[in-house]
Amino acid sequence: MNFLVSPRLVVGVVLGAGVLVSSGCSTGDPTPPPAVGPTVSTSPVPSAEATGEATAPTPSASQVESSVDARVIDHANNRYLVVTLPLDEWDVRVDWNPEDEGTMLRDVVAQDSTVAVATNGGIFTDQLVPGGLLVSDGEEQVSLNLNDGGGNFHLMPNGVFAVMVDGTAAVVNSVDYEPTGVEFATQSGPALLLDGEVHPEFNEGSTNVAFRSGVGVSPGGDTVYLAMSWSLTNFHDFATLFRDELGVDDALYLDGDISRLWVDQMEEPGPLAGPYAGVITARLHDKLKS
């Protein structure tokens, strides 16, 4: 498999499918090898059959370039697809329709040709209801969840990713969330980084690994980063990807092995990309569309 890199470091291959394996909370032992990077890899990607990693769609000859800044970054002996979304260029939304029995990414893409990026919006219940807060177009559809419980969502602190009406974004500890001025939001967990600090329950060298997706926000709140691991990674390495490679102080885990991150010009999301309860999408601002 190959991916193509433009002057904007655009990727011609993304994680379109994955392997469903169990995941859980992070524990761990020895220190991992030092991080490599920031490096944008341009070498051929080994096949999934050879590596046992997630299957990624092979781009066709027409899949030359995307409008999205999407990079494959090497970090701590792993690879991550990272999408960079400056909010002066991109409208980032969180959407969920409670009347739907789950949302498939391919339906999101098929129904709106302006969608350039799409990913799952966070952890949800067996009833396909967001696990915690979800705000869309300023309307709170699911309330903040500060209850105790098991699983990744309740590995406190968890967090809220919010897009504000003033055109900025933030990731905050759920207990510090304030609804004023929030246009879109999703709650998930655990928080990967808060104020530059890695979640206290994450351990370097943890053997608790999975495919993982997450969202981070630049310190000034003007850029959103979406990331998906290329292969199995632990929480600590995923958190330090945001901190050490992207300069992010606040980042949130979205979900694990069921996660997908789609970028335009790629093959349409496959049958395993959903159903989700809530999706994050990005579209170019109207003034920037050709």
Side-chain angles (χ1 to χ4, degrees):
M1 292 178 201
N2 296 318
F3 54 84
L4 306 174
V5 181
S6 76
R8 287 180 60 93
L9 303 175
V10 174
V11 178
V13 64
V14 297
L15 285 172
V19 180
L20 296 179
V21 296
S22 62
S23 62
C25 300
S26 175
T27 56
D29 317 292
T31 303
V36 178
T39 302
V40 179
S41 178
T42 57
S43 59
V45 179
S47 68
E49 293 76 15
T51 63
E53 298 177 355
T55 303
T58 303
S60 68
S62 63
Q63 291 174 325
V64 177
E65 189 170 296
S66 162
S67 60
V68 182
D69 179 351
R71 298 173 283 170
V72 175
I73 294 179
D74 293 335
H75 174 73
N77 291 338
N78 207 336
R79 285 178 171 179
Y80 301 84
L81 175 64
V82 176
V83 173
T84 301
L85 299 166
L87 294 177
D88 62 350
E89 300 178 21
W90 295 94
D91 288 319
V92 176
R93 297 180 55 94
V94 181
D95 290 293
W96 175 60
N97 185 348
E99 296 182 0
D100 284 348
E101 295 182 357
T103 301
M104 303 296 295
L105 280 196
R106 62 183 176 187
D107 292 337
V108 172
V109 171
Q111 291 165 8
D112 187 346
S113 62
T114 68
V115 172
V117 181
T119 191
N120 49 290
I123 291 173
F124 50 89
T125 71
D126 291 341
Q127 290 73 42
L128 290 171
V129 174
L133 179 78
L134 193 137
V135 177
S136 187
D137 288 319
E139 179 182 349
E140 184 180 288
Q141 295 182 295
V142 180
S143 60
L144 193 70
N145 181 357
L146 298 179
N147 298 329
D148 292 329
N152 289 330
F153 183 92
H154 296 285
L155 184 60
M156 299 301 184
N158 62 23
V160 173
F161 164 63
V163 179
M164 315 301 290
V165 294
D166 66 1
T168 64
V171 169
V172 299
N173 189 324
S174 293
V175 300
D176 297 326
Y177 171 74
E178 294 288 344
T180 304
V182 172
E183 188 172 15
F184 300 97
T186 183
Q187 182 184 9
S188 193
L192 299 171
L193 295 169
L194 291 172
D195 296 323
E197 298 293 327
V198 175
H199 192 292
E201 296 298 321
F202 297 172
N203 294 286
E204 295 185 63
S206 170
T207 57
N208 182 1
V209 296
F211 296 95
R212 303 193 190 278
S213 69
V215 57
V217 176
S218 64
D222 57 357
T223 302
V224 170
Y225 299 93
L226 296 172
M228 175 83 198
S229 65
W230 185 265
S231 57
L232 304 178
T233 188
N234 63 39
F235 273 127
H236 186 275
D237 289 349
F238 195 38
T240 57
L241 165 79
F242 284 94
R243 185 191 67 187
D244 299 345
E245 310 294 351
L246 303 176
V248 165
D249 290 335
D250 302 290
L252 179 65
Y253 174 70
L254 290 175
D255 215 333
D257 298 308
I258 65 169
S259 296
R260 303 293 183 271
L261 176 53
W262 177 87
V263 179
D264 68 357
Q265 300 300 314
M266 302 301 99
E267 296 174 1
E268 72 172 20
L272 296 182
Y276 302 123
V279 294
I280 298 171
T281 57
R283 300 161 177 80
L284 273 175
H285 286 321
D286 288 339
K287 64 183 179 181
L288 297 175
K289 293 174 184 175
S290 56

